[in-house]
């Protein structure tokens, strides 16, 4: 059976089609459209009608493509922006009409767990490890081994969220963004009673694939060459400061940087640096797999 899932994030809508091929999880097709849903939240926490429509149109196109490719089972989930919206039911109704099936809104912990099940398979040997998933509206942090989750939580900090709140026009501007992210993480750690720190950490999301492309000096479209890349905190700091000093029009021309991410990428890097500092992480492994892989893996392989 071919199954598909559409994930509606705060920055983009993504789709994955996969199957269980005699006990092997086989990814067949990926799709992505930048919609920046989180930016459509107004001051009262309502999603604007045009943002809902833009996202619903992307979902419709992806659902159609997935079905054309033979997907017999389709699921749709939404994350941070949908969790935050006070008019979430209007959003869900529009997505159901577009996809032909009712979507679900994941809790932060559910999102973290799915990210772990997907991204942790970037490490060949099953070990106790951690996963960081930096999105547009939130950041998920989870630790575990195989199917056993040790700690999983979501922080109200994402690249789009902090971009709207704290501008960065030079490298010095990164410091207060990192400080704000560190304080958010610290509060969440206290709520969860701390965290057992693993030696191996894995990162999933556009911030990480951008960093891998920039460090390896390859185009951002060369996804298979980013997966499994190890990047150090020093390399991350260097890339962040270089981008922070560049005007947007220069960033857009960089081959390693996806144009639709050029304005928010430094904020994602600031979040990552803050997390690495607080959790004493020196090196992180980049995973091309994430919560959608985790969702379909659980559906098809368990």
């Amino acid at each position: 059976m071919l199954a598909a899932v559409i994930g509606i994030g705060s920055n983009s809508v993504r789709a994955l089609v996969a199957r269980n091929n005699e006990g092997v999880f086989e990814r067949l097709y990926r799709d992505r459209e930048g919609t920046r849903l989180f930016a459509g939240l107004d001051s009262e926490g309502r999603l604007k009608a045009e943002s809902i429509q833009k996202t619903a149109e992307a979902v419709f196109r992806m659902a159609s493509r997935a079905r054309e490719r033979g997907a017999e089972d389709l699921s749709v989930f939404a994350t941070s922006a949908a969790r935050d919206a006070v008019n979430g039911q209007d959003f869900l109704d529009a997505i159901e009409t577009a996809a032909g099936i009712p979507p679900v809104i994941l809790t932060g912990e559910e999102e973290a767990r799915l990210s772990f099940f997907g991204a942790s398979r970037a490490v060949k040997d099953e070990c106790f490890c951690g996963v960081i998933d930096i999105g547009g509206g939130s950041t998920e942090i989870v630790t575990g081994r195989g199917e056993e989750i040790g700690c999983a939580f979501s922080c109200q900090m994402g690249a789009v969220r902090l971009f709207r709140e704290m501008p960065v026009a030079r490298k010095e501007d990164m410091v207060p963004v990192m400080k704000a992210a560190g304080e958010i993480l610290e509060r969440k750690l206290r709520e969860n009673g701390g965290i057992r720190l693993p030696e191996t950490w894995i990162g999933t999301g556009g911030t990480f694939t951008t960093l891998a492309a920039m460090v390896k000096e390859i185009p951002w479209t060369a996804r298979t060459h980013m997966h499994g890349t190890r990047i150090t905190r020093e390399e991350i700091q260097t890339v962040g400061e270089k981008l922070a000093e560049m005007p947007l029009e220069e960033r857009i021309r960089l081959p390693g940087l996806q144009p639709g991410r050029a304005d928010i990428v430094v904020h994602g890097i600031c979040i990552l640096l803050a997390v690495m500092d607080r959790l004493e992480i020196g090196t992180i492994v980049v995973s091309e797999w994430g919560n959608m892989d985790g969702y379909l893996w659980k559906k098809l392989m368990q």
Side-chain angles (χ1 to χ4, degrees), residues 21-178:
N21 185 8
E22 298 182 351
V24 176
F25 184 66
E26 186 176 6
R27 301 164 179 83
L28 302 174
Y29 169 71
R30 290 187 183 274
D31 204 352
R32 180 193 181 279
E33 291 190 32
T35 54
R36 200 64 66 87
L37 181 64
F38 189 87
L41 281 169
D42 64 21
S43 59
E44 297 179 350
R46 299 181 62 85
L47 283 169
K48 298 176 183 176
E50 54 266 34
S51 294
I52 293 176
Q53 180 179 351
K54 183 178 181 181
T55 300
E57 289 171 352
V59 169
F60 174 79
R61 287 190 291 269
M62 290 189 187
S64 299
R65 293 169 191 158
R67 289 176 174 127
E68 288 168 2
R69 289 175 177 268
E72 306 164 56
D73 182 290
L74 176 66
S75 304
V76 182
F77 66 72
T79 58
S80 179
R83 288 197 293 267
D84 289 356
V86 298
N87 58 336
Q89 190 58 53
D90 294 340
F91 172 77
L92 292 175
D93 290 344
I95 299 304
E96 181 172 359
T97 299
I101 56 169
V104 297
I105 298 178
L106 299 180
T107 67
E109 182 176 339
E110 287 171 337
E111 185 180 358
R113 288 172 174 270
L114 291 179
S115 293
F116 183 85
F117 291 137
S120 63
R121 286 170 176 78
V123 179
K124 291 182 180 179
D125 298 325
E126 186 176 292
C127 63
F128 178 61
C129 62
V131 168
I132 303 168
D133 182 355
I134 299 175
S138 65
T139 293
E140 282 67 50
I141 298 174
V142 54
T143 63
R145 181 197 302 268
E147 300 300 296
E148 183 179 348
I149 300 295
C151 179
F153 58 84
S154 178
C155 299
Q156 286 288 83
M157 57 183 184
V160 180
R161 188 187 295 269
L162 293 188
F163 169 77
R164 294 178 66 183
E165 298 173 358
M166 306 179 74
V168 171
R170 53 181 186 159
K171 65 182 181 182
E172 289 79 8
D173 295 335
M174 295 174 63
V175 176
V177 180
M178 290 173 58

Side-chain angles (χ1 to χ4, degrees), residues 188-200:
K188 183 61 69 170
L189 288 172
R190 287 198 297 270
E191 290 173 10
N192 284 271
I195 183 173
R196 178 189 166 199
L197 299 179
E199 292 185 6
T200 301

